[in-house]
Amino acid sequence: MNATASPAQDPYITHPREPAPGRVRTVQGVITLLAWVVYAWLWLPVITVIAWMLGVRTSYVELFVRNYEFDQDTFGILFTLAVVATVVLIGWAEYNRHKFSGRDRRAPAVNVGAEDIARSLGTPVHVSQELVRAKSITLAMGDDARPTGVHRHTPMSGLL
């Protein structure tokens, strides 16, 4: 890959013209989940060795094997609860994705004039005009806790 090439010219990066449909994203999500499961399965021997080094095998032997009691019902219930919790969580996420995707349902923001800002804050109009123009400023405050002027523009205000 060329280090000087821009991301738009990179042949390995695709830029779709429109987003993929919901079903395609769901299938891609399932495929991604399966890939992560395979990846975790490949790491399982290393995790097992680390667990043995930390004494997990010893606690298993002390708790279950020595007493000859291995309650399969408990592990079955725990597995069932894990599957149900996973299904509920994914179902809730998909419900919210379908419910809230699409157009923005919020009302558009109404611009407020500098005179209205000055009246509501109890400040001179020139201060409210500075507030409207600036992204980040420090105000000079009067004894009555009302803005009286602009103290200074913050150093990062041009970058925001």
Side-chain angles (χ1 to χ4, degrees), residues 6-29:
S6 68
Q9 298 171 349
D10 192 350
Y12 298 110
I13 298 176
T14 61
H15 299 282
R17 288 187 169 84
E18 57 188 49
R23 290 182 181 152
V24 172
R25 287 196 315 257
T26 302
V27 169
Q28 290 172 346

Side-chain angles (χ1 to χ4, degrees), residues 51-139:
W52 281 355
M53 289 171 49
L54 294 174
V56 174
R57 183 172 174 8
T58 306
S59 62
Y60 167 76
V61 168
E62 291 295 326
L63 292 174
F64 297 109
V65 176
R66 188 172 288 198
N67 295 332
Y68 300 108
E69 294 178 13
F70 188 78
D71 193 5
Q72 292 180 354
D73 293 336
T74 303
F75 286 104
I77 290 170
L78 288 176
F79 178 75
T80 304
L81 288 174
V83 169
V84 168
T86 303
V87 168
V88 167
L89 183 64
I90 291 173
W92 182 251
E94 286 296 313
Y95 166 76
N96 281 322
R97 186 171 65 87
H98 289 296
K99 180 178 179 183
F100 296 112
S101 65
R103 65 178 181 85
D104 195 0
R105 294 182 183 97
R106 294 176 290 190
V110 179
N111 287 335
V112 178
E115 294 80 20
D116 293 332
I117 294 173
R119 192 174 329 112
S120 67
L121 293 176
T123 64
V125 176
H126 71 88
V127 175
S128 64
Q129 288 171 345
E130 285 282 333
L131 287 171
V132 169
R133 284 193 302 265
K135 287 187 177 184
S136 175
I137 60 174
T138 302
L139 294 174

